[in-house]
Amino acid sequence: NAGVMQNPRHLVRRRGQEARLRCSPMKGHSHVYWYRQLPEEGLKFMVYLQKENIIDESGMPKERFSAEFPKEGPSILRIQQVVRGDSAAYFCASSPRAGLGEKLFFGSGTQLSVL
Amino acid sequence: EDQVTQSPEALRLQEGESSSLNCSYTVSGLRGLFWYRQDPGKGPEFLFTLYSAGEEKEKERLKATLTKKESFLHITAPKPEDSATYLCAVSGSGGGADGLTFGKGTHLIIQP
């Protein structure tokens, strides 16, 4: 049973370009979370999605960032017009059930570097 | 707003030297306190969930305990392979974000 798969592992973009990060949850998991980790900072919650629905996006910047989890295919975190401050490691996590006490299974992350 | 503070930021131990990592938290309606291990270049790996004060869980050389204000991760006779960053996180029911609130972690180095 494969774990949470994220790709690409490393992504380099120039300022103003778009970044698209993909996450395939564990088999049987329909709940996906995105987190951002800046150097010397803790993991920060961004968005929580279920299939075709955004449940909580309170941690996501209001502009340039969007997320989706379509009926078919992986969850996508999209960052438009990237800036240097977007450089970070982005982690996806999944869980099989809803519930704030559920443990999350994390992918290995995408390291985004903005030049 | 939920908050998690971990101490120390970094800890260097000799192999076999036992110690404890601290996680202090404030949360409205604790649903769970989580410990994760993170190796360089990888995502966090789940270790434990604690749900109520007084609860304890063990796994190999690790033991996690919980009070109403803090959690401890005790590591007994550690080995070099226990070197990693240990993350503490909480999930609360206070109407905030659905995700976990993480501390900055304790970077643990075990020297042979």
Side-chain angles (χ1 to χ4, degrees):
Chain A
N1 187 13
V4 178
M5 303 299 292
Q6 289 189 248
N7 66 82
R9 289 282 281 125
H10 302 276
L11 182 61
V12 179
R13 285 288 178 266
R14 296 189 180 280
R15 282 179 295 169
Q17 291 184 320
E18 178 180 289
R20 293 170 74 88
L21 288 62
R22 296 176 201 77
C23 168
S24 295
M26 288 182 70
K27 186 176 181 180
H29 289 196
S30 59
H31 303 267
V32 166
Y33 302 75
W34 285 93
Y35 286 79
R36 177 165 63 177
Q37 188 172 42
L38 293 164
E40 308 305 321
E41 294 289 328
L43 284 156
K44 300 293 185 187
F45 167 77
M46 299 182 73
V47 62
Y48 163 38
L49 311 102
Q50 294 179 31
K51 282 286 187 181
E52 300 185 272
N53 290 301
I54 297 175
I55 306 302
D56 182 353
E57 57 183 348
S58 59
M60 201 150 68
K62 293 290 187 287
E63 298 179 355
R64 301 188 298 108
F65 285 73
S66 63
E68 63 177 15
F69 188 16
K71 185 177 180 180
E72 301 291 337
S75 175
I76 305 287
L77 180 66
R78 181 183 180 202
I79 311 172
Q80 295 178 290
Q81 299 175 329
V82 296
V83 300
R84 288 216 173 112
D86 296 332
S87 296
Y90 291 83
F91 290 95
C92 169
S94 71
S95 68
R97 289 174 294 275
L100 297 177
E102 285 295 324
K103 69 182 182 185
L104 303 182
F105 297 82
F106 283 82
S108 294
T110 293
Q111 181 65 51
L112 173 65
S113 298
V114 179
L115 304 178
Chain B
E1 183 180 332
D2 300 343
Q3 289 190 332
V4 177
T5 303
Q6 292 187 247
S7 62
E9 292 184 8
L11 181 61
R12 188 182 296 265
L13 300 172
Q14 292 295 125
E15 184 174 359
E17 181 184 0
S18 301
S19 189
S20 297
L21 312 182
N22 178 262
C23 170
S24 297
Y25 65 92
T26 56
V27 64
S28 178
L30 179 70
R31 286 185 177 266
L33 184 140
F34 302 80
W35 283 97
Y36 283 85
R37 167 188 172 134
Q38 186 174 23
D39 292 297
K42 296 192 175 181
E45 176 187 345
F46 172 79
L47 293 173
F48 303 108
T49 308
L50 301 168
Y51 293 104
S52 58
E55 190 174 359
E56 298 182 353
K57 287 192 177 174
E58 284 188 71
K59 179 181 178 181
E60 296 181 356
R61 295 177 292 282
L62 298 176
K63 178 181 178 180
T65 62
L66 180 65
T67 72
K68 288 186 178 180
K69 293 184 178 181
E70 56 192 352
S71 176
F72 291 93
L73 185 65
H74 307 278
I75 181 162
T76 303
K79 298 180 178 181
E81 53 262 41
D82 295 322
S83 298
T85 296
Y86 290 85
L87 303 173
C88 174
V90 296
S91 173
S93 59
D98 278 310
L100 299 178
T101 299
F102 280 86
K104 293 184 180 181
T106 293
H107 182 49
L108 178 64
I109 298 173
I110 308 300
Q111 294 179 312

